[in-house]
Amino acid sequence: MEKSQDALVLLRQIIRATDLHDKHLSRMTGLTMPQLMTMQTLRINGPLTIGMLAKEMNLAQATVTSILDRLERKKLVRRERSNTDKRKVLACPTEEGLELLKSAPATLQDTFIRQFEDMPDWEQSMIVAALEHVSHILGAHHLDAAPMLDIGALDRTTETRPPEYLRDTGDHHKN
Amino acid sequence: MEKSQDALVLLRQIIRATDLHDKHLSRMTGLTMPQLMTMQTLRINGPLTIGMLAKEMNLAQATVTSILDRLERKKLVRRERSNTDKRKVLACPTEEGLELLKSAPATLQDTFIRQFEDMPDWEQSMIVAALEHVSHILGAHHLDAAPMLDIGALDRTTETRPPEYLRDTGDHHKN
DNA sequence: TTCATTGCTTCGCGTTGCAAATTAATTAAC
DNA sequence: GTTAATTAATTTGCAACGCGAAGCAATGAA
């Protein structure tokens, strides 16, 4: 059957596009992708314990610890011990960290939303229905997911500027 | 608008599902994801020079060199100098390497294809049309992409290269 | 008190990923 | 035909990932 191949290629294209955009964001913010991912997760969920953060990102706790070390050094994240249970450590995004995400360049979902909402209502419904179908086929419907296509950034501000203000060690990952 | 949020969540779910499946494949084969990616690219395109391989995967040449070092140590890939231009080095998947990919667990696209082809024709067309729309919105329609959802493993419907040495199952190679 | 569990960090190791420097082969210029 | 520039891959050095195992402190249970 020809159409299933078409569908697969299209899905692959979509995934590839988001991946490339993630790498672009990475360059713009000066953060690595795991670092961006971490900031994004914190922005969405608010302060999380290291364990929760690890689970949320499908990484080992030790991995998250080291990522947080670097984010803390850049003052984008602050560690805070829990009062009720002093074993727990909360990772909190700093003001600076949230600022950084806000100033990230226009995101893929902005583009998507703009064009999507220009479409007639019946077409929107058709796309949602189709995506629902695909998600179900892949057994993905139970996965929790934020309404965003790329790792970083939110908000309307269309500021496209590479930040100079994180200098620590040479951290420019290029990808 | 509510529906654009729905669409974004669904897309994110789909991407997340393929990512999780990739990690599963990685564990099963004993290869890292870049290594799997490399093997997969070679399986699809046949022998490639290091430079082509790097471009295909959006990586620096030096990175690919080191990945190939490890794949060669595992005897999954063989290096071969070009006769016509002795600067060039071709990376060729070995029989063992192709075997490994073949013996990988059932892939996501297998699941997808099976269920997709059970759908009535009009529904298939609807999904392809919707995906086409999304791909276009994201500017992804020009990206070249193989008809597969996960990095590893082969699907028998896509033999772009005739590996005359297929046949047989059951040789699990764990690094 | 004692013991097991939980949550995070530390340590060691291998893998990615890149830029810069290096080597070798090809091509262009003189 | 020698010299110079270009191209292709490797080597080197360095930071970041990613994980398991070991360690430590706080909590909970016996």
Side-chain angles (χ1 to χ4, degrees), chain B residues 126-164:
Chain B
M126 191 188 88
I127 287 181
V128 169
L131 291 178
E132 223 144 38
H133 221 129
V134 172
S135 171
H136 216 272
I137 286 180
L138 299 181
H141 52 286
H142 57 82
L143 300 176
D144 75 331
M148 55 181 39
L149 285 177
D150 31 31
I151 277 173
L154 99 160
D155 63 277
R156 37 214 170 281
T157 59
T158 322
E159 232 53 78
T160 59
R161 287 274 159 155
E164 40 267 15

Side-chain angles (χ1 to χ4, degrees), chain A residues 86-174:
Chain A
K86 283 181 190 140
R87 291 170 303 178
K88 295 183 180 176
V89 171
L90 288 171
C92 314
T94 64
E95 202 56 45
E96 233 168 322
L98 296 174
E99 239 1 271
L100 176 65
L101 289 188
K102 267 210 299 193
S103 65
T107 62
L108 211 48
Q109 67 261 22
D110 287 342
T111 311
F112 181 83
I113 291 175
R114 196 178 318 113
Q115 298 197 45
F116 186 85
E117 298 192 341
D118 274 351
M119 291 164 41
D121 197 68
W122 65 268
E123 215 163 357
Q124 293 185 10
S125 300
M126 190 188 88
I127 286 181
V128 169
L131 291 179
E132 224 144 36
H133 222 129
V134 172
S135 171
H136 215 272
I137 286 181
L138 299 181
H141 50 288
H142 58 81
L143 300 176
D144 77 330
M148 53 182 38
L149 286 178
D150 32 31
I151 277 173
L154 86 155
D155 269 339
R156 67 281 188 265
T157 44
T158 48
E159 189 71 38
T160 320
R161 198 172 82 81
E164 310 294 334
Y165 46 87
L166 347 145
R167 275 307 151 217
D168 189 324
T169 51
D171 270 307
H172 18 283
H173 236 230
K174 225 237 170 156

